[in-house]
Amino acid sequence: MKKLVYLLIIPFSYLSANAQTTAEITAENPVMNAKNNSDELQNYIAEDLPWRGRRFKVTAGAFFPFNNTEVEVNGTNGNIGTDIDFERDLGFQSNTVSFFGAFEWRASRRSRFNLEYFYLKRNSEKILQKEIEFQDHTYPVDARISAFMNNEIIRFAYGYAIVSKPKYELGLLIGAHVMLADVGIRFVANTAEAEYHDNVDFTAPLPDIGIWGEFVLGKKVGLYANVNYFALKINDIDGRIISYNLSILYNVYKDFSLTAGYTGLNFRLDATRPRLDGYFKWGYNGPSLAATYSFGNHVKFYRH
């Protein structure tokens, strides 16, 4: 009987000692611990949050902005242009519909690059209620005019996550908004000989810096927000820009998600240049709806 007990005790003692040794080795090896935690967390992200932390993300959708536009264009002969409110004075609609697209590349766990594009085309016809000086012509009261304004915005940005956790990230942004604008007014007369028009187009690149945050609110829901600002004055150019965005993502199925957001931008440019002598002020804000497709491998997040 004693021999049987002895034979049973030896294997259990060996297994206990072996388990203790393995635990000690693992505890003394932080690299192995970090790798195990990382792999475990990576599997959680990939299986339960397929939209989170992907290398690439493509977004396209519709934007419904409310606009506020003021333009003043001086004449080449030194005449001072009229401060024109495009919505009030020229009959432009304040609320419009436009298209936007975005692409994001997460180069690493902390670094991401963004490219965004926004396009808005507007036009109007109106009988003027006040006299307008625009570039080299005078548009009198009761004149029938047609006007247009085409705007494109291309935005480049680099974001760095100062805090990068599985459920949230906080970081800094540096980038630039590049605006391409084309604005014009045409006097519509009874005869073609009496008609005349003026238009001005320009490209205005303005850098900006900001902060951003991304948060996991649930298995299928995420929140993203950013704010950007910059003011710059160089010689005969004075520009200022402030923008913000708040959007909520809902993961519909695997790599496909829908986003609903609210975006705003205020842009002002004062210049004394051959292409634009005057100022251009444009602000918009409004809701957006978009579809997002995420692909590529997941970046690795760490608990600590």
Side-chain angles (χ1 to χ4, degrees), residues 35-296:
K35 183 178 185 305
N36 290 337
N37 290 338
S38 172
D39 292 342
E40 179 184 352
L41 189 57
Q42 189 65 22
N43 291 334
Y44 168 73
I45 293 294
E47 293 173 5
D48 292 346
L49 302 177
W51 52 272
R52 172 82 169 116
R54 303 296 289 273
R55 287 291 181 184
F56 304 101
K57 184 188 297 183
V58 178
T59 301
F63 182 39
F64 309 92
F66 296 89
N67 299 270
N68 181 19
T69 313
E70 293 182 25
V71 177
E72 177 185 302
V73 180
N74 300 325
T76 56
N77 56 2
N79 291 340
I80 302 300
T82 304
D83 182 355
I84 307 170
D85 185 310
F86 270 44
E87 287 74 32
R88 184 183 66 241
D89 300 332
L90 301 185
F92 278 74
Q93 293 293 323
S94 296
N95 55 318
T96 53
V97 180
S98 64
F99 162 83
F100 78 96
F103 176 76
E104 178 181 286
W105 170 41
R106 296 194 66 139
S108 67
R109 181 169 63 96
R110 294 186 182 273
S111 295
R112 62 176 68 187
F113 294 89
N114 294 86
L115 174 63
E116 300 174 10
Y117 177 79
F118 167 82
Y119 177 73
L120 180 63
K121 182 177 182 179
R122 306 167 66 198
N123 55 68
S124 71
E125 289 190 3
K126 187 176 182 179
I127 296 176
L128 293 180
Q129 304 300 309
K130 73 174 187 179
E131 183 178 275
I132 288 177
E133 296 278 351
F134 185 83
Q135 208 166 31
D136 291 325
H137 288 107
T138 300
Y139 297 81
V141 176
D142 294 331
R144 178 178 293 278
I145 61 96
S146 63
F148 72 89
M149 184 180 75
N150 300 329
N151 293 97
E152 294 177 84
I153 293 181
I154 302 171
R155 180 173 180 252
F156 306 92
Y158 167 72
Y160 181 80
I162 297 176
V163 178
S164 180
K165 300 293 184 181
K167 294 298 184 69
Y168 64 92
E169 293 178 274
L170 299 171
L172 299 178
L173 282 170
I174 182 170
H177 284 76
V178 181
M179 176 178 288
L180 297 88
D182 189 8
V183 181
I185 301 177
R186 182 170 69 92
F187 171 59
V188 182
N190 294 328
T191 61
E193 291 78 9
E195 293 185 0
Y196 53 83
H197 69 276
D198 297 280
N199 72 283
V200 58
D201 62 276
F202 61 90
T203 300
L206 279 179
D208 57 64
I209 56 176
I211 57 175
W212 63 274
E214 188 170 305
F215 309 89
V216 176
L217 302 183
K219 185 176 179 179
K220 288 182 170 289
V221 183
L223 173 70
Y224 177 81
N226 72 67
V227 179
N228 306 275
Y229 174 82
F230 202 78
L232 177 69
K233 184 173 183 179
I234 301 177
N235 298 328
D236 53 0
I237 298 178
D238 186 3
R240 183 190 66 190
I241 186 170
I242 180 170
S243 66
Y244 59 88
N245 174 59
L246 177 68
S247 59
I248 295 179
L249 176 146
Y250 178 78
N251 183 235
V252 178
Y253 179 73
K254 291 186 177 179
D255 303 329
F256 180 74
S257 303
L258 295 177
T259 59
Y262 195 87
T263 301
L265 177 143
N266 284 283
F267 178 97
R268 174 162 181 149
L269 178 71
D270 293 83
T272 306
R273 301 289 293 268
R275 301 296 291 176
L276 174 65
D277 184 3
Y279 78 84
F280 181 88
K281 181 181 178 182
W282 179 39
Y284 66 76
N285 60 83
S288 64
L289 293 174
T292 298
Y293 179 73
S294 304
F295 60 100

